[in-house]
Amino acid sequence: MKFKSLATLTFTALTVFLYSACTKETTTKTDSDNNKAIATQIAVNLTNSLAATVASGNNYSGLPKTNSVVNGKKVNDLTCGQFIEQPFNNTYTKGDSIKDVMVGSNKFVISCQNNQPNGYTYTGEYVNSGFSPYLSNYKNTVKEFYTLKSLADAYTKMQVDGSQNSTYNFTTRKDGEVMVQTNTYNLKGLVIDATSRPFDITAGVAEYVSKGNNAGREFSFAGTITYLGNHKAKVTYNGQSIDITIN
């Protein structure tokens, strides 16, 4: 078991590209359609981010479990209030077409109920930079703080509260367009059902602010994402509201 999967190495670049592709595909549509597309992608990006961290199955999901080992230490030997820090410096390459570098650290504090581990607080920050067939270069900075509490055995259901702040800056390879966006999410009582794949967020609200410049278009969005279960959510943005499905 690991706290953060190496799959997150290329996650941020992929997320930003999808965000860009979403808006560029709608350039022939109305501003209203564009706004709906951007608001939808803001919600999808947060869900993807949680999929790569707390809901990935590579954190403390299943804690405590006999004979599970983290950094050479049995999970069931962890103590209440124990602090664990995991700095990382990872590089992923694929020929001359992809290079992704992620440098940062994960910090955990074990929380307990009735002297048994039942969750943790997670503080993470990293800088992700590189290039890909779609992006000539990118540099993304992410800072996260989550409190995770188990609501069912083996973390099949968990509650997540906390915040995420990110800045994405990248240039498309095809046309050299510069994209910049900053996002702030405030998570309140998100209930994650991990029994299905993809996982489902069945309750809770995420407040968000997202702003930047996308293909020469300035944008600024603020609102909420209310999770309804069955991979559905209600997203508000700048006084408007839409119902979406998160696949």
Side-chain angles (χ1 to χ4, degrees), residues 47-217:
T47 305
N48 288 344
S49 177
L50 293 173
T53 52
V54 298
S56 68
N58 292 290
N59 300 291
Y60 261 143
S61 54
L63 182 153
K65 185 181 295 183
T66 304
N67 297 326
S68 293
V69 175
V70 177
N71 288 351
K73 188 175 183 64
K74 289 184 179 180
V75 172
N76 51 311
D77 288 342
L78 295 174
T79 59
C80 300
Q82 182 175 352
F83 173 77
I84 299 172
E85 183 174 9
Q86 294 183 325
F88 55 88
N89 187 336
N90 301 319
T91 300
Y92 171 81
T93 60
K94 185 175 181 181
D96 296 327
S97 62
I98 297 176
K99 182 175 182 180
D100 189 278
V101 179
M102 182 175 284
V103 179
S105 66
N106 300 319
K107 299 177 182 178
F108 303 84
V109 178
I110 306 303
S111 56
C112 292
Q113 184 174 356
N114 299 324
N115 295 320
Q116 292 293 322
N118 75 326
Y120 55 87
T121 60
Y122 163 69
T123 304
E125 58 180 300
Y126 58 86
V127 176
N128 177 220
S129 59
F131 57 84
S132 75
Y134 310 106
L135 308 176
S136 60
N137 61 74
Y138 57 87
K139 183 176 182 180
N140 311 314
T141 303
V142 178
K143 295 184 178 180
E144 304 167 289
F145 175 80
Y146 302 129
T147 298
L148 188 147
K149 180 180 180 181
S150 176
L151 301 178
D153 291 341
Y155 276 50
T156 54
K157 182 179 291 186
M158 62 191 86
Q159 178 176 324
V160 179
D161 297 85
S163 62
Q164 180 192 114
N165 298 283
S166 59
T167 300
Y168 299 139
N169 192 323
F170 62 98
T171 304
T172 60
R173 185 175 295 277
K174 181 179 180 180
D175 46 29
E177 291 180 324
V178 176
M179 314 286 181
V180 179
Q181 58 179 288
T182 61
N183 304 299
T184 300
Y185 295 99
N186 184 24
L187 283 54
K188 297 183 176 181
L190 268 59
V191 177
I192 295 177
D193 181 356
T195 59
S196 63
R197 283 292 182 264
F199 72 93
D200 190 21
I201 304 178
T202 61
V205 175
E207 302 169 337
Y208 73 88
V209 176
S210 182
K211 60 182 63 177
N213 186 298
N214 193 321
R217 178 195 178 200

